[in-house]
Amino acid sequence: MNIVILGGVAAGTKVAAKLMRQNRNNNVTIYTKSKDISYAGCGLPYHISGLIPDKDSLVVNTPEKFSMLTGVNVKTEMEAIKIDPNRKSVLFKDNTEVTYDKLIIATGATPIVPNIEGVDRSNVFTLRTVEDAVNIKRYIEEKSVKSAVIVGASFIGLEVAENIKAKGVNVTVADLADQVLPNLFDPDMAQYIKKQLIQKGIRVVNGAKLEEITDSGIKTTRGDITGEIVILALGVKPATDFLLDSGIELEKGAIVVDDQLRSNLDDIYAAGDCALVRSVLTGKRAYSAMGSTANITGRILAKALTGEDIKYRGCLSTAVLKLFDGLNAGRTGLTEKSAELEGFDAISVSLVVDDKAHYYPGSGNFVIKLVADKSSHKVLGVQVVGPGEVDKIVDTAVTAIYMGAKLEDLDSLDLSYAPPFSTAINPLVQASYVLENKINGVLDSFTPYEYMCGKAEGYQVIDVNNSPTIPGAKFVAFDKLEETFKDTPKDAKLLLVCARGRKSYLVQNRLKAMGFTATKSLEGGVNLNDVKIKFAGAIPPQEVRRVKALGCLQDKRYPDVFNVRIITRNGKITAEEQKTIWEACEKFGSGEITMTTRLTLEVQGVKYENIQPLIEFLNERGLSTGGTGSLVRPVVSCKGTTCQYGLADTFALSEKLHEKFYVGYHGVTLPHKFKIAVGGCPNNCVKPNLNDLGIVGQNVPVFDIQKCKGCKVCQVVNSCPIKVAKVVDGKLSVDPNECNNCSRCKGRCPFKVAEEYVPGYKVYVGGRWGKKIAHGIPLTRVITSEEELMDVVEKAILLFRDEGKSGERFADTVARLGFDYVNDKLLNSKIDKAAILNKDVKGGATC
């Protein structure tokens, strides 16, 4: 049998190889438009970051190797332009025409590129082939790209964002939809994912329709977004334009096939991204542009062609995504929203559960949303986010849905358990228990989406955490329920909120037993919901403390007005950022901006109710608030880069310090605040030695005294600004302990005594401004590499976290431990970073 296959990536190569294994007498030929076949399209983003350094490793088989292994003929760079079903022939762009007995179309899909101005610019890319990934990586590296815009917040867009961010590039993701991962996750889960992305330093702008690509970025309906490189990740469309006049039935460009992958025309089949499949749950036609679907349907097609009675059961749009280290997301089946649209009596539950035994090192949380049909209890879908193996939860749900399982069928599954791998009751099973309780009326709750939509309006928020957590809410201890609510009307609308949702359920159970009839538990608790209380009058102290940790300091003249600090990179911001801050100041504040001593900008006069809108406004535009609390503070530096005396590139160094220690350590609590300052030369314009850690640029002289002529008027002596250079017994003499390594004497000696210098950094530890001034003490060795400098700074922060006492400044820690001890620790010792970061540390900073 002469079988022609158009397309050679996933479906095409899978069906070809299986056909030959089924019957070696087949004559199978692949014709593909590309130079490559059988490449790992899903691995392309990871080549951009360098995680997969060798592009060739993404090519599973070369045409030659594939032919040798399978016996399939492979013809590359052959683009089909027309098929003739009557003559059973295919015409190619080079005018080659071939005939077939069976034709399999597996041409895949092509990226969607909008018809707008600027899409043909040299800095605009799509990602579909190995060559695309190589070109993006090369462009970023050769152009030293610092900012990127990803247009599209679906799976491929967010994967590209993660991998470009890993190269040290500032990334903005823009999408027309009002959420990330549209149609894949429900709005509440998408909102949780968006928050995690923002915390990881990704700027996310939703509701932004792309209008034009310019030389500086993109224009959207939400304003201009700057970026030196633009990646279009707007999805894909089936590569089927050449079939428009063929008579093959198409729907939205995809080939309509039956459950054996047959088209409407005799002897023509299709599989992969160019073809439709069916949904297991609805039976309706569906589009699943996934490598997994392509491989599965390719194998089924081959078996059906060789006589087996086999049918494709359909897909669930299952997908899993690594967003960042420590953040994964997965989904399968229907979202709650899509289930409702499909006519199901949809009901869901959202909960936060341990991903493994809570006491096991490295344990974390899963955020799970489980969707079922309320009347039949059939499982319809699951969405899960967390640092662990979310695919385990998704794949278990996939199996359940394929088997037509009800929630109760999950209850007693003998799933694997050991503390390093799971909880004793599997997280998905826990979710099914809770959803059963909800369906049966045992649990009365609001979902995070219902809370987002305002359904809890009119309910009194009751804080049932272990300790008061929600500012402005009524706190109730578990053992004081009867006493607290003895005089409360039994029909009072009470919204019970805890950390995750479990304790609020237990409280609700107790209150029901006491006769209360209108309580609601908030699913996911404060982990999944932004619980807000409207305050009448003065803001409670605990809420003042909470917003202060976000960089919002109360204006003592007013009960509800704050000044909000916006973080800069050592005082440097772009013109676009200036415009944003000005707009924020006008929109949310008093119209005035001040500058702090740590080079943050402070928006004055922000009313309490405007704090969160202001923060969200800034976050969407790549800016953040902060700079308070027991944390590493924003890094400040002098302008040594441009100063005539500058010895170090302070702008570049400060930005690296800012990124690694202010941003990278932003969740690490210290005994007190920790301030870092960088001076470009020993003039000490920003007083590095009055900070917890100060860095001063150095040029350590290596004097060639043998060349000294003992001149009566020594130019080195004359040029020394601090007068430590002298001529003693006819030779130049400079005490290295007194020299401040400013290099003003460089090149001054006509006999070349002062020509050679070693660049480096002097590090001061234990300085302090404020009520009790302390001058930092320099480490006993000048650091001569940036790599070692970053290591020393990190050691100092970790030493402070490990051995500092709550409430004491680093200067006090150094004095208590002794400088010699600290010096040795920072220059010579190793520090157990993981152990120190796992410690429980209480901060003592009050401002």
Side-chain angles (χ1 to χ4, degrees):
M1 188 186 306
N2 179 31
I3 302 172
V4 170
I5 300 173
L6 303 180
V9 182
T13 51
K14 173 59 72 174
V15 70
K18 185 62 178 174
L19 280 169
M20 292 301 289
R21 289 197 298 272
Q22 295 284 94
N23 185 347
R24 296 293 293 184
N25 292 322
N26 284 325
N27 177 32
V28 180
T29 305
I30 290 176
Y31 294 88
T32 181
K33 179 180 176 181
S34 173
K35 294 179 181 178
D36 299 311
I37 68 162
S38 192
Y39 60 83
C42 298
L44 298 179
Y46 304 100
H47 177 64
I48 295 172
S49 65
L51 185 64
I52 301 174
D54 182 8
K55 69 177 181 65
D56 292 334
S57 65
L58 293 168
V59 180
V60 180
N61 279 307
T62 63
E64 296 76 19
K65 183 180 177 183
F66 185 78
S67 293
M68 183 270 293
L69 289 171
T70 64
V72 173
N73 304 307
V74 180
K75 307 290 186 182
T76 61
E77 298 182 272
M78 295 286 288
E79 180 181 356
I81 58 172
K82 187 177 182 180
I83 67 169
D84 186 336
N86 297 319
R87 298 179 58 234
K88 284 194 168 184
S89 68
V90 180
L91 179 65
F92 294 90
K93 195 171 185 178
D94 66 352
N95 287 323
T96 300
E97 188 173 16
V98 299
T99 58
Y100 61 83
D101 294 321
K102 304 286 184 182
L103 175 64
I104 297 166
I105 303 171
T107 46
T110 58
I112 294 172
V113 178
N115 183 24
I116 60 170
E117 187 73 25
V119 293
D120 56 350
R121 290 180 179 274
S122 61
N123 66 329
V124 180
F125 298 86
T126 57
L127 182 62
R128 188 66 180 173
T129 68
V130 174
E131 187 178 6
D132 292 336
V134 171
N135 289 339
I136 292 170
K137 184 173 186 288
R138 181 187 299 123
Y139 189 90
I140 291 172
E141 292 172 353
E142 290 182 353
K143 302 291 185 180
S144 299
V145 168
K146 297 290 187 245
S147 61
V149 181
I150 316 298
V151 185
S154 197
F155 278 117
I156 188 66
L158 296 186
E159 284 177 338
V160 171
E162 179 214 1
N163 284 277
I164 291 183
K165 178 71 175 175
K167 295 183 74 66
V169 177
N170 292 319
V171 177
T172 301
V173 176
D175 198 288
L176 172 62
D178 59 2
Q179 67 170 75
V180 300
L181 301 168
N183 303 318
L184 297 166
F185 285 78
D186 278 310
D188 45 0
M189 293 293 284
Q191 182 66 16
Y192 177 78
I193 292 170
K194 180 178 177 178
K195 287 182 180 178
Q196 308 308 307
L197 291 171
I198 291 171
Q199 288 179 11
K200 295 290 186 179
I202 296 287
R203 177 187 175 193
V204 181
V205 183
N206 286 115
K209 181 182 179 181
L210 179 62
E211 296 180 322
E212 182 183 347
I213 301 176
T214 68
D215 56 359
S216 60
I218 64 173
K219 289 184 177 294
T220 78
T221 51
R222 291 289 307 276
D224 295 350
I225 300 173
T226 58
E228 298 164 53
I229 185 172
V230 177
I231 314 291
L232 299 177
L234 296 165
V236 296
K237 60 180 181 179
T240 56
D241 287 350
F242 71 103
L243 300 175
L244 294 178
D245 298 325
S246 66
I248 292 178
E249 184 182 357
L250 303 174
E251 184 176 296
K252 294 182 179 179
I255 302 168
V256 177
V257 294
D258 64 12
D259 53 14
Q260 288 193 317
L261 292 309
R262 294 177 293 206
S263 76
N264 63 307
L265 298 183
D266 291 341
D267 299 321
I268 298 179
Y269 306 78
D273 294 359
C274 63
L276 291 173
V277 288
R278 289 190 181 274
S279 164
V280 171
L281 284 164
T282 67
K284 295 181 180 179
R285 293 170 181 169
Y287 187 57
S288 178
M290 298 289 292
S292 51
T293 304
N295 276 278
I296 292 167
T297 54
R299 187 174 191 273
I300 289 172
L301 172 52
K303 294 177 76 173
L305 272 174
T306 50
E308 289 196 34
D309 184 16
I310 187 171
K311 295 179 180 179
Y312 177 56
R313 292 181 59 186
C315 76
L316 289 172
S317 299
T318 305
V320 66
L321 169 69
K322 176 181 175 291
L323 291 165
F324 280 93
D325 289 334
L327 184 62
N328 305 312
R331 56 93 61 217
T332 192
L334 300 175
T335 62
E336 184 174 20
K337 185 176 180 180
S338 63
E340 290 171 352
L341 292 173
E342 291 294 343
F344 289 98
D345 186 12
I347 188 169
S348 74
V349 72
S350 299
L351 67 161
V352 183
V353 295
D354 296 325
D355 61 2
K356 53 179 70 70
H358 69 275
Y359 52 79
Y360 190 81
S363 64
N365 294 332
F366 282 140
V367 176
I368 299 177
K369 181 167 186 176
L370 179 61
V371 183
D373 182 69
K374 188 175 182 179
S375 53
S376 68
H377 294 201
K378 284 186 66 172
V379 180
L380 297 179
V382 73
Q383 300 157 55
V384 55
V385 182
E389 290 81 6
V390 299
D391 57 307
K392 290 170 59 177
I393 304 300
V394 171
D395 290 345
T396 305
V398 168
T399 305
I401 295 171
Y402 265 89
M403 300 305 169
K406 298 180 179 180
L407 292 170
E408 292 79 4
D409 295 324
L410 301 177
D411 286 1
S412 56
L413 289 179
D414 188 16
L415 299 172
S416 58
Y417 162 66
F421 300 102
S422 183
T423 49
I425 300 177
N426 183 276
L428 182 62
V429 176
Q430 291 184 51
S432 69
Y433 289 168
V434 178
L435 189 47
E436 286 174 48
N437 284 340
K438 186 173 178 177
I439 291 173
N440 296 330
V442 177
L443 167 68
D444 290 305
S445 62
F446 285 128
T447 68
Y449 183 66
E450 288 172 330
Y451 185 74
M452 284 171 60
C453 294
K455 286 200 171 183
E457 189 73 31
Y459 281 77
Q460 181 185 5
V461 176
I462 306 298
D463 183 350
V464 295
N465 285 281
N466 293 333
S467 59
T469 302
I470 306 169
K474 181 176 182 178
F475 173 73
V476 179
F478 193 74
D479 59 352
K480 300 284 179 63
L481 288 175
E482 286 82 358
E483 178 184 341
T484 304
F485 290 110
K486 63 181 180 181
D487 297 325
T488 304
K490 294 297 188 287
D491 61 351
K493 290 184 175 182
L494 306 177
L495 179 63
L496 310 172
V497 185
C498 64
R500 299 179 172 190
R502 181 176 181 274
K503 192 174 180 183
S504 62
Y505 163 64
L506 298 176
V507 171
Q508 183 181 67
N509 187 267
R510 289 274 297 276
L511 290 177
K512 282 184 175 181
M514 292 165 57
F516 285 85
T517 59
T519 64
K520 289 283 188 179
S521 170
L522 183 57
E523 296 173 15
V526 294
N527 271 272
L528 286 188
N529 301 273
D530 292 323
V531 182
K532 298 176 182 177
I533 309 296
K534 292 182 179 179
F535 298 107
I539 310 301
Q542 65 267 35
E543 178 65 357
V544 172
R545 286 195 296 271
R546 184 189 74 85
V547 297
K548 183 170 73 174
L550 300 175
C552 311
L553 304 179
Q554 188 172 25
D555 187 327
K556 295 299 177 68
R557 297 172 297 175
Y558 310 102
D560 62 346
V561 175
F562 294 77
N563 301 323
V564 182
R565 291 181 175 177
I566 302 173
I567 302 304
T568 68
R569 299 170 299 280
N570 65 322
K572 187 169 67 173
I573 54 177
T574 66
E576 194 66 34
E577 289 169 337
Q578 284 275 26
K579 293 176 186 176
T580 294
I581 295 168
W582 169 81
E583 187 178 348
C585 179
E586 290 284 329
K587 192 171 185 178
F588 302 104
S590 66
E592 295 178 319
I593 299 174
T594 60
M595 177 74 81
T596 73
T597 56
R598 298 213 68 77
L599 304 184
T600 60
L601 291 172
E602 205 169 78
V603 177
Q604 303 290 294
V606 180
K607 297 279 283 186
Y608 171 77
E609 59 266 25
N610 284 335
I611 288 177
Q612 193 58 38
L614 168 62
I615 290 174
E616 291 174 1
F617 179 85
L618 294 170
N619 286 346
E620 282 197 345
R621 290 155 179 80
L623 293 165
S624 62
T625 64
T628 55
S630 298
L631 305 165
V632 176
R633 295 297 177 87
V635 180
V636 300
S637 73
C638 75
K639 310 309 175 198
T641 307
T642 55
C643 172
Q644 62 176 317
Y645 302 121
L647 304 176
D649 186 347
T650 53
F651 280 158
L653 177 59
S654 293
E655 290 194 25
K656 289 175 184 175
L657 290 164
H658 175 91
E659 190 69 24
K660 183 167 184 180
F661 300 115
Y662 175 73
V663 177
Y665 270 65
H666 207 58
V668 178
T669 300
L670 302 175
H672 210 289
K673 55 192 170 188
F674 191 90
K675 296 181 176 180
I676 302 172
V678 182
C681 74
N683 284 347
N684 296 340
C685 295
V686 293
K687 303 175 180 62
N689 64 338
L690 291 179
N691 283 260
D692 297 282
L693 186 140
I695 300 166
V696 178
Q698 301 280 282
N699 265 343
V700 182
V702 183
F703 294 120
D704 190 349
I705 302 300
Q706 290 183 348
K707 295 179 178 178
C708 179
K709 305 300 184 182
C711 301
K712 288 183 179 181
V713 179
C714 177
Q715 297 304 319
V716 173
V717 171
N718 281 352
S719 63
C720 180
I722 60 173
K723 305 305 179 186
V724 298
K726 302 172 184 176
V727 176
V728 179
D729 297 329
K731 292 289 182 181
L732 176 67
S733 176
V734 180
D735 185 342
N737 294 316
E738 293 186 22
C739 177
N740 67 0
N741 305 325
C742 70
S743 77
R744 304 276 185 89
C745 57
K746 184 176 182 180
R748 296 299 181 91
C749 175
F751 302 104
K752 310 297 184 183
V753 171
E755 294 295 316
E756 188 177 345
Y757 290 79
V758 178
Y761 311 92
K762 182 179 283 188
V763 177
Y764 291 84
V765 295
R768 178 176 55 211
W769 295 5
K771 299 173 186 175
K772 188 179 177 183
I773 293 175
H775 288 273
I777 307 170
L779 299 182
T780 55
R781 175 164 55 81
V782 171
I783 308 301
T784 56
S785 77
E786 189 178 287
E787 182 180 8
E788 184 184 6
L789 176 67
M790 302 297 276
D791 182 59
V792 166
V793 175
E794 185 166 44
K795 282 182 178 179
I797 296 169
L798 293 171
L799 174 67
F800 186 35
R801 177 174 168 80
D802 189 33
E803 302 194 45
K805 294 181 179 179
S806 178
E808 76 175 0
R809 291 293 298 272
F810 189 49
D812 301 318
T813 303
V814 173
R816 177 170 53 80
L817 297 176
F819 172 76
D820 290 342
Y821 173 82
V822 173
N823 183 75
D824 182 62
K825 275 278 191 177
L826 301 188
L827 293 182
N828 305 314
S829 301
K830 290 185 177 181
I831 291 181
D832 190 341
K833 179 178 176 179
I836 294 172
L837 291 179
N838 281 328
K839 286 185 63 173
D840 186 21
V841 172
K842 184 178 180 181
T846 57
C847 64

